[in-house]
């Protein structure tokens, strides 16, 4: 079941609030604790709150701190985008959403308003946020002032745009002329079809028309009388420019009278009409030109049995009339009547039982890189570990260390001379304070002699003498690995400067492999646009035999499970199923049989080609009965040549983030970097190393 729903629109004034209010009522009828979140709100003045948030939270009495209900203001997002920091927007949105997800059973997320001309990036932002939160979308579009075919064109375009990236649960056309509702719904069903729910909501005049409160704000007016009736709704406006006897014939129910402030006759006639049984009710009166009636006139009006709001505006009648005509009405927290009308409208026109059932049964297949990285960070934070970085003179290592310390995610030891490391930090303007990390020079360490003696005892059967052991402990890789062995650190990350062999040799000599594990292998977490796949082995074993390949597959599946990826294992070859012949495909076939025997509950398929493993259409055509084909999450390559080239090709051609290699099978975590790695690669690898250490 999805824990949230994202309400998005593609244009301003779509009536999105009707959908949000109706959804909240529906959800509260199904779930006890429903939260509300707006990733991006409009800019507000100091001390003001967002109207959408205030309306939903106050009406439904949601127990939530205001600052937790949004992530950014519009100007903050634009500033970050202009600085090339769009990723920070998504990271913060995920963080805020996850905070609420832990405290509520379900989260209603409302997208941006499209209330500015500078909204070219809003469509992308809404899509990106929904995708990274793995939420289904309800897409809302307005249907007024357009012919049916134009409304359908707009909605289909919006649907197609969102559908490429996220799951669209429902599309809702709002504010549609009542006579067009049936035809538009039929047209949309014909065009879009599928399982997407289609709702068409007619235009409701009482929701489309402004209140006196909104008119006051629009004209910057002053309330002279009738402050207790500011929520009066205005259905029409009439100008009081003619003689009273003619003007009275034009009064309509819930109308707004606009007249010059010196027209006491129109003011008094309008008020008298309002309380008369023979004339329609008046919503309010706007007096223009900054002219305020004499006290005698105001006292006379004030003494009437019912006094509607009388507003004084400084500008002239023509200007005020134009301003009122441009009002885009909103639903406010204190306008309970409009809120209840919105909810009733939603419940009347939306199949709430179907929508609720669709939400209950919905399961997203989207798992974005940023969500994966967020989950990694949160896991690492739960049980802080100590990681040693032996390559303390590398600029990339120091940049990654600065980020890790800033995130408070791990404790760090850097190996090297403190003065030399500080010189590199200063020269490259790296924001790392060495007071926050442990810096060790092997020969000067208080543990140096103990480490050398321990290594001597462990390796003397290999003709290692004490002097050789002391020399070996001067090597940063050996010293760092011994820190792990002795329990002075929980894991090591190296390889930015040193070779894989240099990084792994000490681990294989005295860290050793886990019981029952015969081979150390590696995986990469391939963070593709909408999913995370596990690639193994792409870094360690040149040409594993069938038994080794089976063990790599099982270890990789365990890694996937441990890192939140459901393991569906594909052992890759140049042939799918039983058709292929040859030594290499036979090796993969045998490995698959061994793996199935050792792990009978594991979903595994092999031999299978890469395209059949990841493409549902191809997978089902080649292996129709497979529960892995087309949806593999763990891909096992038959040899290092194939694996290493494939992961690099996928990384370069798709822009995927490749985290790793992460080594599996050792008693304690030691991970090797590529010498072409970036600071981001090091940062991510340290975090997964810390997570590995939590399980040991």
């Amino acid at each position: 079941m999805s824990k949230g729903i994202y309400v998005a629109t593609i244009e301003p004034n779509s009536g999105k609030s009707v959908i949000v209010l109706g959804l909240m009522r529906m959800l509260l009828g199904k779930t006890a604790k429903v939260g509300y979140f707006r990733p991006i709100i409009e800019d507000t003045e100091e001390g003001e709150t967002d109207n959408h948030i205030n309306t939903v939270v106050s009406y439904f009495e949601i127990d939530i701190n205001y600052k937790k209900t949004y992530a950014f203001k519009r100007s903050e997002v634009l500033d970050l985008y202009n600085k090339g920091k769009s990723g920070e927007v998504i990271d913060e949105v995920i963080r805020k959403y996850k905070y609420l997800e832990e405290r509520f059973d379900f989260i209603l997320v409302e997208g941006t308003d499209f209330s500015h001309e500078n909204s070219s990036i809003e469509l992308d932002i809404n899509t990106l946020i929904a995708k990274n939160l793995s939420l289904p979308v309800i897409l809302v579009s307005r249907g007024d002032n357009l012919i049916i075919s134009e409304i359908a064109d707009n909605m289909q375009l919006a649907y197609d745009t969102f559908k490429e990236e996220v799951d669209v649960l429902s599309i809702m056309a709002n504010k549609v002329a009542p006579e067009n509702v049936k035809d538009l719904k039929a047209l949309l069903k014909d065009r879009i079809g599928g399982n997407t729910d289609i709702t068409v909501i007619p235009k409701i005049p009482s929701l489309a028309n402004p209140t006196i409160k909104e008119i006051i704000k629009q004209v910057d007016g002053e309330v002279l009388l009738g402050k207790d009736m500011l929520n009066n709704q205005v259905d029409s406006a009439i100008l009081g420019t003619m003689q009273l006897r003619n003007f009275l014939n034009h009064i309509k129910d819930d109308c707004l009278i606009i007249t010059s402030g010196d027209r006491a006759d129109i003011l008094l006639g309008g008020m008298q009409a309002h309380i008369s049984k023979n004339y329609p009710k008046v919503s309010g009166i706007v007096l223009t030109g900054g002219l305020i009636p004499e006290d005698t006139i105001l006292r006379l009006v004030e003494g009437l049995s019912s006094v509607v709001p009388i507003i004084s505006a400084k500008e002239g009648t023509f200007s005020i009339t134009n301003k009122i005509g441009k009002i885009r009405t909103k639903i406010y927290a204190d306008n309970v009547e409009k809120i209840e009308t919105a909810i009733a409208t939603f419940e009347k026109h939306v199949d709430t039982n179907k929508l609720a059932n669709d939400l209950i049964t919905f399961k997203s297949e989207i798992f974005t890189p940023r969500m994966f990285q967020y989950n990694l960070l949160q896991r690492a934070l739960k049980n802080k570990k100590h990681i040693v970085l032996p390559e303390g003179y590398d600029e990339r290592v120091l940049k990654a260390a600065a980020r890790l310390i800033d995130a408070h995610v791990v404790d760090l030891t850097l190996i090297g001379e403190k003065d030399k490391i500080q010189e590199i930090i200063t020269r490259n303007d790296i924001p790392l304070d060495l007071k926050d990390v442990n810096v060790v020079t092997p020969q000067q360490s208080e543990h140096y002699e103990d480490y050398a003696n321990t290594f001597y005892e462990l390796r003397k059967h290999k003709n290692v003498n004490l002097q050789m052991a002391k020399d070996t402990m001067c090597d940063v890789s050996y010293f760092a690995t011994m820190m792990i062995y002795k329990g002075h650190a929980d894991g090591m990350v190296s390889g930015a400067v040193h070779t894989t062999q240099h990084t792994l040799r000490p681990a294989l000599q005295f860290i050793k492999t886990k019981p029952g594990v015969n081979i150390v292998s590696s995986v990469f977490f391939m963070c593709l646009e909408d999913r995370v796949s596990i690639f193994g082995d792409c870094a360690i074993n040149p040409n594993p035999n069938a038994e080794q390949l089976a063990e790599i597959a099982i270890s990789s599946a365990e890694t996937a499970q441990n890192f939140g990826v459901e393991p569906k294992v594909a052992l890759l070859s140049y042939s799918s199923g039983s058709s292929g012949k040859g030594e290499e495909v036979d090796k993969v076939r045998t490995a698959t049989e061994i793996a199935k025997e050792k792990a009978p509950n594991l979903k595994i398929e092999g031999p299978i080609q890469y395209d059949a493993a990841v493409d549902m259409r191809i997978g089902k055509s080649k292996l129709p009965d497979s529960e892995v084909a087309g949806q593999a999450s763990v891909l096992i390559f038959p040899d290092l040549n194939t694996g290493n080239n494939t992961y690099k090709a996928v990384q370069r051609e798709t822009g995927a983030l490749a985290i790793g290699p992460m080594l599996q099978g050792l008693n304690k975590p030691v991970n090797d970097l590529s010498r072409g790695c970036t600071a981001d690669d090091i940062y991510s690898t340290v975090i997964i190393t810390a997570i590995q250490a939590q399980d040991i």
Side-chain angles (χ1 to χ4, degrees), residues 301-350:
V301 173
E302 192 175 10
L304 297 175
S305 59
S306 176
V307 180
V308 298
I310 299 175
I311 314 303
S312 175
K314 293 180 180 179
E315 296 181 45
T317 301
F318 179 77
S319 175
I320 292 297
T321 302
N322 281 339
K323 281 191 172 184
I324 292 173
K326 293 178 181 178
I327 292 177
R328 300 298 183 185
T329 186
K330 296 179 180 179
I331 299 176
Y332 290 92
D334 58 359
N335 195 336
V336 176
E337 184 178 345
K338 266 198 174 183
I339 293 173
E340 292 178 349
T341 300
I343 293 171
T345 299
F346 179 89
E347 292 175 343
K348 179 178 180 180
H349 297 283
V350 177

Side-chain angles (χ1 to χ4, degrees), residues 11-39:
E11 57 198 337
N13 305 306
S14 63
K16 176 161 53 71
S17 294
V18 172
I19 311 306
V20 169
L21 291 166
L23 271 173
M24 183 59 77
R25 170 63 62 82
M26 182 194 84
L27 293 168
L28 285 169
K30 306 286 184 181
T31 309
K33 294 180 67 179
V34 182
Y36 176 71
F37 181 51
R38 293 204 74 199

Side-chain angles (χ1 to χ4, degrees), residues 210-224 230 234 237 239 256-259 284-291 309-328 332:
T211 62
I212 296 295
K213 182 178 180 179
E214 291 176 289
I215 289 169
I216 294 169
K217 185 176 181 180
Q218 181 79 349
V219 303
D220 191 23
E222 177 189 354
V223 183
L224 302 179
L230 298 184
V234 175
L239 299 180
L256 176 73
I257 298 172
I258 305 172
T259 190
I285 300 175
V286 176
L287 304 177
T288 63
L291 302 171
I310 299 175
I311 314 303
S312 175
K314 293 180 180 179
E315 296 181 45
T317 301
F318 179 77
S319 175
I320 292 297
T321 302
N322 281 339
K323 281 191 172 184
I324 292 173
K326 293 178 181 178
I327 292 177
R328 300 298 183 185
Y332 290 92

